[in-house]
């Protein structure tokens, strides 16, 4: 992004400037008149010859004019300096929080070799803002800035609404990443905003000043792209990856290719098994969309799902997934395997009654046993409509699962109001639970909470036998993750289901 230009002079300043000009003009004119006329009218001047009076008049005018000029000039220079420093301050600071802004950070980053830009993004910014209000959000950002400054010892800038940034010196990317991870970690303890604790998570991205990628964009842009990458990879901090950044115009053409790709058979579904601890077998699968582009190869789901959501293509994509999942479920049933198929439903579709009509038609015509995975954020966007759509689906026998539980701002109020059947603990807690006592505790209390509310609980991201054993001991209902099985194509899934009902299986990668 190009550096921002200087802001226009505020309206009040322009008015003051005109007024000052007018006053100076009037004052000057009055001086001129008095300097020329008064000596002529003064009794002393009667004894003088007209040209002597004129010389005295001229001299007194020159003296007065000089004094006025000197005073005026000094005031003007002072004003200009004030104005310039005020404008510089406006141009380099965020109006809401008073922190230095993006331009300030860009200048700082350009000032010295060997600097790394670290950006720290507040996860689910809009959800948090909607929950606590705009004023509290401004206080929260200031508090986050203070904590980041304390942790890093650097000056913190506000780069955009949800992103703060700083520049640090580091020898290697590992060193910069370690600082970035410590900054993201600093949000572990809640922030106290007007006496109430606010719990947020942070994700950081780092980028080097200069380097081979310097021609792509500014380090601030690259660090922003690294935040998106960290979120995709579910990491606390990530570096910039020029390959993942790709070519934005290429992504543009992807959007226009998406519709044709659905018709051309470039899309497929990968299925990831869900192991039921009590039944001791796989009783469900999650359908995950895959796009194999003829030139680009596999397009990451987070990329095309995000793009489809932004461009209104999510509806046809999800309709395709629903139809295909129903067909595949019939194929599984024909092979002797009755499994519930879970489908991810984007938030936008939850406030779309006609999508619910479509889904209900498909379910009643096929008798399919589906589960819709939704996220809390989706519900909190337009709660009344979403809860209405969920109730309709639920009444028609579609199971409802709350996906990624714990990864954002969880609200017990919504948890109580949503007619859900299942809660899926976000994989970030599960992946680390055999090393982190805190995560294990969170998982255990989430399992108890879900059971208390009459919900089944699935832990996703089960990668190790230790995690699986811990979950079993905690009374978890289902496990999903690379240990049980990676997402795989339908025929590989059927082979797996045909085999002995072991909880861990072959790890086919789709
Ligand atoms: P999700 O719903 O949380 O799906 C689970 C993701 O975690 C999948 O990534 C899966 O491959 C990955 N995963 C499964 N087991 C493990 C594990 O043990 N460890 C780790 N680290 N990861 C594991 P995938 O397939 O890349 O999907 C990413 C996201 O894309 C999904 O996250 C979902 O939000 C979205 N997505 C995928 N297909 C669809 C779709 O058809 N519609 C919509 N709306 N979203 C979809
Ligand atoms: Ca999911
Ligand atoms: Ca999930």
């Amino acid at each position: 992004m190009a550096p921002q230009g200087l802001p226009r002079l505020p309206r009040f300043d322009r008015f003051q400037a005109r007024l000052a000009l007018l006053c100076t003009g009037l004052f000057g004119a009055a001086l001129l008149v008095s300097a020329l006329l008064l000596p002529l009218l003064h009794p002393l001047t009667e004894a003088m010859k007209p040209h002597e009076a004129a010389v005295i008049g001229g001299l007194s005018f020159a003296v007065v004019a000089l004094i006025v000029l000197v005073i005026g000039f000094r005031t003007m220079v002072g004003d200009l300096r004030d104005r310039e420093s005020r404008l510089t301050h406006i141009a380099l600071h965020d109006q809401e929080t008073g922190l230095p802004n993006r331009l300030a950070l860009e200048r700082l980053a350009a000032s010295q070799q060997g600097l790394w830009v670290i950006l720290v993004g507040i996860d689910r910014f809009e959800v948090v803002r909607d929950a606590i209000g705009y004023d509290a959000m401004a206080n929260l950002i200031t508090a986050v800035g203070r904590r980041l400054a304390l942790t890093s010892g650097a000056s913190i800038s506000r780069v955009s609404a949800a992103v703060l940034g700083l520049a640090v010196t580091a020898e290697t990317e590992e060193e910069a990443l370690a600082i970035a991870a410590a900054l993201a970690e600093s949000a572990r303890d809640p922030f106290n905003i007007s006496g109430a604790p606010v719990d947020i998570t942070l994700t950081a991205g780092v980028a080097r000043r200069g380097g081979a990628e310097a021609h792509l964009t500014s380090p601030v842009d690259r660090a922003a792209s690294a935040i998106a990458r960290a979120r995709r990879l579910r990491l606390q901090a990530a570096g910039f990856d020029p390959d993942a950044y790709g070519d934005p115009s290429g992504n543009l053409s992807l959007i226009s290719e998406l519709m044709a790709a659905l018709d051309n058979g470039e899309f497929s579904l990968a299925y990831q098994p869900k192991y039921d601890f009590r039944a001791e077998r796989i009783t469900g699968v999650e359908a995950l969309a895959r796009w194999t582009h003829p030139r680009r190869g596999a397009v990451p789901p987070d990329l095309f799902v995000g793009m489809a959501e932004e461009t209104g293509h999510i509806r046809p994509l999800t309709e395709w997934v629903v139809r295909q999942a129903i067909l595949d479920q019939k194929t599984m049933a024909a092979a002797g395997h009755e499994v519930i198929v879970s489908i991810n439903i984007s938030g936008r579709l939850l406030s779309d009654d006609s999508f619910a009509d479509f889904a209900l038609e498909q379910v009643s015509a096929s008798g399919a046993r589906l589960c819709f995975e939704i996220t809390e954020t989706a519900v909190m966007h337009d709660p009344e409509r979403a809860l209405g759509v969920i109730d309709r689906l639920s009444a028609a026998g579609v199971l409802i699962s709350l996906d990624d539980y714990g990864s954002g701002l969880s609200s017990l109020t919504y948890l109580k109001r949503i007619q859900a059947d299942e809660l899926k603990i976000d994989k970030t807690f599960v992946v680390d639970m055999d090393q982190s006592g805190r995560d294990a505790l969170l998982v255990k209390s989430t399992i108890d909470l879900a059971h208390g509310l009459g919900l089944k609980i699935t832990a996703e991201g089960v990668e190790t036998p230790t995690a699986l054993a811990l979950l079993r001991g905690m009374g978890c209902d289902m496990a999903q993750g690379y240990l049980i099985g990676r997402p795989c194509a339908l025929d590989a899934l059927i082979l797996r289901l045909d085999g002995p009902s072991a909880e861990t299986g072959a790890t086919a990668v789709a």
Side-chain angles (χ1 to χ4, degrees), residues 231-259:
R231 287 195 174 129
R232 242 187 345 262
L233 300 173
R234 308 208 176 214
L235 297 170
Q236 271 188 325
F240 174 73
D241 176 359
D243 295 335
Y245 178 75
D247 148 29
S249 60
N251 288 347
L252 253 182
S253 77
L254 262 189
I255 298 169
S256 57
E257 286 170 302
L258 193 134
M259 291 303 287

Side-chain angles (χ1 to χ4, degrees), residues 360 363 387-400 419 421:
L360 293 179
V363 169
L387 291 171
V389 166
I390 290 169
D391 284 348
R392 284 182 65 205
L393 292 165
S394 199
V398 175
L399 299 174
I400 301 295
Q419 290 289 313
D421 301 276

Side-chain angles (χ1 to χ4, degrees), residues 383-384 387 390-391 411-420:
E384 289 316 314
L387 291 171
I390 290 169
D391 284 348
S411 156
L412 283 176
T413 324
Y414 283 103
L415 199 58
K416 258 177 64 184
R417 281 178 71 191
I418 301 170
Q419 290 289 313

Side-chain angles (χ1 to χ4, degrees), residues 56-134:
I56 288 177
L59 276 176
S60 52
F61 167 71
V63 171
V64 175
L66 197 70
I67 294 167
V68 169
L69 256 175
V70 169
I71 295 173
F73 185 71
R74 289 191 58 154
T75 326
M76 231 171 66
V77 170
D79 273 2
L80 275 176
R81 277 210 196 107
D82 272 5
R83 234 173 50 143
E84 195 183 291
S85 73
R86 213 146 34 92
L87 277 180
T88 313
H89 190 272
I90 291 173
L92 295 175
H93 288 80
D94 172 54
Q95 301 292 293
E96 202 180 11
T97 56
L99 289 170
N101 63 11
R102 180 194 172 103
L103 184 57
L105 182 62
E106 276 180 342
R107 280 195 182 180
L108 180 66
S111 68
Q112 199 186 315
Q113 292 290 341
L115 280 182
W116 290 77
V117 169
I118 302 183
L119 294 193
V120 181
I122 298 173
D123 299 331
R124 303 190 179 208
F125 175 80
E126 284 177 8
V127 179
V128 181
R129 193 184 54 197
D130 290 350
I132 68 173
Y134 279 70

Side-chain angles (χ1 to χ4, degrees), residues 68-381:
V68 169
L69 256 175
V70 169
I71 295 173
F73 185 71
R74 289 191 58 154
T75 326
M76 231 171 66
V77 170
D79 273 2
L80 275 176
R81 277 210 196 107
D82 272 5
R83 234 173 50 143
E84 195 183 291
S85 73
R86 213 146 34 92
L87 277 180
T88 313
H89 190 272
I90 291 173
L92 295 175
H93 288 80
D94 172 54
Q95 301 292 293
E96 202 180 11
T97 56
L99 289 170
N101 63 11
R102 180 194 172 103
L103 184 57
L105 182 62
E106 276 180 342
R107 280 195 182 180
L108 180 66
S111 68
Q112 199 186 315
Q113 292 290 341
L115 280 182
W116 290 77
V117 169
I118 302 183
L119 294 193
V120 181
I122 298 173
D123 299 331
R124 303 190 179 208
F125 175 80
E126 284 177 8
V127 179
V128 181
R129 193 184 54 197
D130 290 350
I132 68 173
Y134 279 70
D135 287 347
M137 194 68 197
N139 294 338
L140 175 66
I141 290 158
T142 312
V144 174
R146 233 180 281 129
R147 201 175 286 180
L148 295 181
L150 219 68
T151 312
S152 65
S155 144
I156 308 297
S157 303
R158 188 179 190 190
V159 171
S160 66
V163 178
L164 297 171
L166 59 151
V168 295
T169 40
E171 291 292 319
T172 59
E173 188 178 60
E174 282 66 41
E175 199 186 319
L177 278 172
I179 301 172
L183 291 172
E185 188 69 20
S186 71
R188 276 247 160 180
D189 292 331
F191 291 86
N192 189 320
I193 304 300
S194 318
V198 178
D199 221 345
I200 52 160
T201 55
L202 302 175
T203 304
V206 309
R208 182 166 52 140
R209 174 191 189 256
E213 313 89 37
H215 65 282
L216 287 173
T217 45
S218 75
V220 175
D221 275 342
R222 277 181 274 135
S225 152
I227 293 186
R229 180 164 171 256
R231 287 195 174 129
R232 242 187 345 262
L233 300 173
R234 308 208 176 214
L235 297 170
Q236 271 188 325
F240 174 73
D241 176 359
D243 295 335
Y245 178 75
D247 148 29
S249 60
N251 288 347
L252 253 182
S253 77
L254 262 189
I255 298 169
S256 57
E257 286 170 302
L258 193 134
M259 291 303 287
L262 284 171
D263 294 333
N264 296 343
E266 289 170 30
F267 269 88
S268 62
L269 287 180
Y271 290 98
Q272 186 173 35
K274 286 171 74 179
Y275 181 80
D276 185 320
F277 283 111
R278 193 151 314 135
E280 295 185 333
R281 63 187 176 84
I282 289 157
T283 55
V285 291
E286 177 173 359
L288 293 159
R290 295 287 178 261
W291 180 2
T292 312
H293 190 275
R295 272 176 295 107
R296 288 175 163 236
V299 184
D302 284 318
L303 177 64
F304 67 75
V305 168
M307 271 172 17
E309 280 173 345
E310 296 305 324
T311 55
H313 289 88
I314 194 67
R315 170 92 188 252
L317 172 63
T318 313
E319 288 186 356
W320 178 87
V321 174
V322 170
R323 287 199 181 91
Q324 190 60 43
I326 291 175
L327 286 177
D328 290 348
Q329 194 177 45
K330 282 192 180 138
T331 312
M332 290 180 231
H337 305 292
E338 298 288 345
V339 288
I340 293 171
V341 179
S342 294
I343 293 173
N344 292 287
I345 305 294
S346 287
R348 271 155 220 256
L349 296 177
L350 273 189
S351 33
D352 181 349
D353 278 300
S354 67
F355 172 75
D357 293 341
F358 159 83
L360 293 179
E361 250 171 56
Q362 293 289 316
V363 169
S364 70
S366 62
R369 291 173 66 213
L370 299 183
C371 172
F372 280 4
E373 293 193 3
I374 60 174
T375 59
E376 290 162 284
T377 333
V379 180
M380 284 167 91
H381 240 242

